[in-house]
Amino acid sequence: MIVNPVLSEAVAADYRHAAAMGDGQMNARFLALGVGKSIVIDLPRDIKDVLVADPKIANAVVRSAQRAYIIGAAIGQTNIVFFDSTGQQIAAYDIAVTRDLNGIRAALKQTLPGSDIRIEGLGDGVVLSGTVNSQIEAQQAGDIAARLVGKIDNVVNSITVRGRDQVTLKVTVAEVQRDIVKQMGIDLSGSMSYGTTVVTFNNSNPFNASGKDLVSGNAISAAFGSGPSVKATLKAMESAGVVRTLAEPSLTAISGESANFLAGGEFPVPGAPDCSTSPCKQTIQFKKFGIALNFTPIVLSEGRISMKVSTEVSELSSQNSITIGDTTIPGLKTNRADTTLEIPSGGSIAMAGLMKQQTKQAISGLPGASQMPVLGSLFRSRDFVNNNTELMILVTPYIVRAVAQKDLSRPDDGFADASDPQADLLGNINRIYGVPGRTEPTKNYRGTYGFITD
């Protein structure tokens, strides 16, 4: 008979002086075996009889008067009881046959030598416990166990991360928009009489490129003739604007956990009427806007950080607004980015960028007459629009540790409201802005620095 290699030896001498229970049976000892593995049992007295509850799960082979082998056959649970020549129970074992875990232990020890991972069998699956240095090591341990077991659902990952790192993410959203609009046109209107016939004409040229007339109220009119008269209106406008947007949200989260940040608000939007009751009621939905940040960091080895980042900067805009009845619903102007990055602590990377240049030009006029050289300018209008947009989103993660509260400062440290005489006579709105009594290290600054209050 061939017996599988012995893993360990169990001595049953502790059963010699064990107290018998009320039913005459001794306490059973728990044994865990792998499939196809065996264990040696040494008993204090000669074995006469062996009871195996389910031989398909585990079997007992008696090789000598006081030694037996227990062999795991299939995954499951059973029990084995040994009796002596008088029929008295010598020992009892509760056997749990699980998947062989030595291969998984060896693979985890080789792959993650600095971790302390414990593996236990649970039916046809395994349970991982213990501690590792980072969240990525815990994930790797679960992936290795799942590959060797054959199914991810059979792996329960209860590994904890010792000294979990915390990550602060600083996001900078910077945008500059430059808009130039030029509109110029001439409207002609008048009347001419020939005997009893009166001819009236009116030539008004719209501005089509920008979609709206910006020259209203900025026109010069002149009339010619006392009888038959002609009125010419010169409309001209040049507009230039710059919009600068800067948002710098910061957020801190534990490695492996998600964090959300929103600085803004919600505005109401009418929804579909609720006619479940009479009369119907108008429903209201609220839409979020402002500066939003959502990220999930995972600290890898050597200080590298893998993170999923979602950031958004939105503001209310009248450009895309709609009017329903007496209610005007504003539109949203939004800059949004969503991606996954891997960068070192303290490093910065351009998460997203946009350079956009849009030029539109339209000429409207009276057919034929507007094409004439020089004089054609009297019968047409020109609309020119040039839009330039530059947008960049930067992200910088830092691995951080907690600090004492005294080492932190708030924007309102040392702030004190001005008294009534100071406010009325001197125009001051505050008396102190800074931390009193704090000695700052000597530094050389260039340019404008410090707090500015308008």
Side-chain angles (χ1 to χ4, degrees):
M1 180 177 182
I2 300 176
V3 181
N4 290 329
V6 177
L7 295 179
S8 61
E9 182 175 343
V11 179
D14 54 339
Y15 289 96
R16 295 176 182 174
H17 305 290
M21 298 178 63
D23 56 0
Q25 294 184 353
M26 303 172 66
N27 290 330
R29 181 180 177 183
F30 176 79
L31 288 179
L33 286 177
V35 177
K37 300 296 182 178
S38 62
I39 192 171
V40 177
I41 301 296
D42 287 327
L43 299 172
R45 301 193 300 273
D46 292 347
I47 304 171
K48 178 63 176 179
D49 194 9
V50 180
L51 172 62
V52 180
D54 191 350
K56 295 181 180 179
I57 302 298
N59 200 3
V61 178
V62 179
R63 301 300 296 172
S64 63
Q66 296 184 5
R67 172 169 290 188
Y69 302 153
I70 297 179
I71 305 171
I75 295 176
Q77 293 184 352
T78 186
N79 67 329
I80 299 177
V81 184
F82 296 93
F83 300 93
D84 59 12
S85 58
T86 62
Q88 295 295 321
Q89 177 178 308
I90 303 175
Y93 295 91
D94 285 334
I95 310 297
V97 181
T98 60
R99 189 183 300 272
D100 183 24
L101 306 178
N102 287 336
I104 302 178
R105 289 191 181 97
L108 292 178
K109 186 175 182 180
Q110 181 180 3
T111 305
L112 306 172
S115 60
D116 182 16
I117 301 177
R118 296 183 297 273
I119 308 173
E120 298 178 0
L122 181 63
D124 59 347
V126 295
V127 178
L128 303 180
S129 59
T131 59
V132 293
N133 294 324
S134 63
Q135 183 68 29
I136 192 65
E137 290 187 359
Q139 183 177 354
Q140 289 177 353
D143 295 341
I144 292 173
R147 181 174 292 274
L148 296 178
V149 169
K151 192 176 182 182
I152 187 63
D153 295 337
N154 292 343
V155 178
V156 178
N157 194 341
S158 300
I159 299 176
T160 59
V161 179
R162 64 173 80 98
R164 302 179 70 180
D165 293 314
Q166 297 184 98
V167 178
T168 289
L169 180 66
K170 180 180 179 181
V171 178
T172 301
V173 181
E175 181 186 18
V176 176
Q177 291 182 332
R178 303 177 182 90
D179 299 331
I180 297 176
V181 179
K182 296 181 180 179
Q183 294 180 343
M184 187 178 70
I186 297 178
D187 295 342
L188 295 176
S189 62
S191 61
M192 301 181 68
S193 301
Y194 296 94
T196 59
T197 303
V198 179
V199 178
T200 301
F201 63 92
N202 186 7
N203 179 32
S204 178
N205 304 312
F207 298 100
N208 298 321
S210 57
K212 54 184 177 180
D213 190 347
L214 301 178
V215 300
S216 298
N218 190 33
I220 300 176
S221 300
F224 306 93
S226 57
S229 62
V230 176
K231 181 180 179 181
T233 302
L234 174 64
K235 299 184 300 182
M237 170 64 74
E238 181 175 350
S239 174
V242 175
V243 178
R244 175 178 178 263
T245 302
L246 177 63
E248 293 185 320
S250 297
L251 192 60
T252 302
I254 296 176
S255 176
E257 302 295 335
S258 298
N260 296 279
F261 171 86
L262 175 64
E266 298 181 349
F267 66 96
V269 177
D274 183 9
C275 295
S276 59
T277 59
S278 182
C280 295
K281 296 181 179 179
Q282 178 67 53
T283 61
I284 300 295
Q285 298 177 351
F286 288 87
K287 301 295 183 181
K288 296 181 180 180
F289 71 96
I291 302 172
L293 176 61
N294 180 6
F295 85 115
T296 304
I298 297 178
V299 178
L300 308 177
S301 59
E302 300 179 357
R304 298 190 65 83
I305 302 173
S306 174
M307 56 186 176
K308 182 177 181 181
V309 185
S310 299
T311 184
E312 177 180 310
V313 177
S314 59
E315 60 179 338
L316 299 179
S317 174
S318 60
Q319 294 181 355
N320 299 322
S321 62
I322 60 174
T323 301
I324 302 177
D326 297 333
T327 304
T328 299
I329 304 174
L332 279 179
K333 178 185 175 183
T334 305
N335 295 324
R336 182 186 297 116
D338 187 355
T339 186
T340 301
L341 303 171
E342 181 178 330
I343 52 179
S345 176
S348 298
I349 193 171
M351 174 179 166
L354 170 67
M355 293 188 66
K356 179 182 177 182
Q357 183 175 8
Q358 184 184 54
T359 302
K360 295 188 294 183
Q361 188 169 194
I363 295 179
S364 302
L366 185 66
S370 62
Q371 306 299 324
M372 293 188 302
V374 183
L375 293 179
S377 301
L378 301 175
F379 302 94
R380 65 173 179 255
S381 64
R382 177 175 176 264
D383 193 2
F384 173 80
V385 179
N386 185 14
N387 296 328
N388 293 321
T389 301
E390 297 181 18
L391 170 67
M392 179 172 289
I393 301 177
L394 303 175
V395 293
T396 305
Y398 299 93
I399 298 178
V400 297
R401 299 289 185 270
V403 298
Q405 185 178 6
K406 63 182 181 63
D407 296 330
L408 299 176
S409 60
R410 306 191 314 266
D412 62 337
D413 283 344
F415 181 86
D417 294 328
S419 61
D420 290 343
Q422 288 178 318
D424 296 336
L425 301 178
L426 301 179
N428 294 337
I429 60 174
N430 63 279
R431 288 183 289 143
I432 304 174
Y433 210 114
V435 181
R438 174 176 294 181
T439 302
E440 300 291 344
T442 303
K443 297 180 181 179
N444 294 326
Y445 296 98
R446 293 183 179 179
T448 303
Y449 63 92
F451 296 99
I452 299 175
T453 303
D454 294 330

